[in-house]
Amino acid sequence: VQLQASGGGLVQAGGSLRLSCKASGTIFRIASMAWYRRTPGKQRELVATISSDGTTNYSDSVKGRFTISGDNAKTTVYLQMGNLKPEDTAVYFCHSILKTDWSALLRDYWGQGTQVTVSS
């Protein structure tokens, strides 16, 4: 299973970016997908999650500015980031909890990080 993240970049404060993460490989069922971020000197932070039934959750720091969504096949997750602030600068990681087979246990999978830099 691979999670391929894309869409990071450099943007001015107040701008927008859209991150994408596609899950590929042998996947039986995705229970949830999420975005985390990490900045130097800080712990990894959960940004947003979306479960298989479409339920979403956001950290207080991004609520109202970021939107997580998925495609109909539920193998791609997006993070639409708006009104970006310099403190949103971080490496963003895609995460999924999924099963590769009907008898397999749910497991965590991580994508590679994508850098988001917000200039003031």
Side-chain angles (χ1 to χ4, degrees):
V1 174
Q2 285 190 326
L3 300 180
Q4 184 67 43
S6 62
L10 173 64
V11 65
Q12 287 188 331
S16 301
L17 276 177
R18 188 194 198 204
L19 304 183
S20 299
C21 175
K22 180 170 177 59
S24 62
T26 303
I27 299 170
F28 176 73
R29 183 174 73 87
I30 295 177
S32 66
M33 296 187 80
W35 288 96
Y36 287 76
R37 65 187 181 187
R38 187 174 66 216
T39 55
K42 290 187 177 181
Q43 287 187 333
R44 186 174 57 198
E45 176 189 14
L46 175 61
V47 176
T49 65
I50 183 166
S51 61
S52 57
D53 66 358
T55 302
T56 58
N57 285 286
Y58 300 91
S59 69
D60 288 342
S61 61
V62 307
K63 203 171 291 184
R65 299 187 298 121
F66 291 11
T67 301
I68 189 169
S69 63
D71 67 349
N72 288 336
K74 297 186 168 74
T75 56
T76 302
V77 65
Y78 306 97
L79 185 68
Q80 180 68 46
M81 305 184 292
N83 190 20
L84 282 160
K85 305 175 181 180
E87 51 263 43
D88 294 318
T89 296
V91 179
Y92 285 71
F93 295 89
C94 177
H95 171 263
S96 182
I97 299 175
L98 60 87
K99 301 177 67 167
T100 56
D101 182 80
W102 68 272
S103 62
L105 297 176
L106 288 167
R107 280 188 54 193
D108 292 270
Y109 291 86
W110 291 91
Q112 89 288 4
T114 184
Q115 176 72 45
V116 172
T117 303
V118 184
S119 63
S120 57

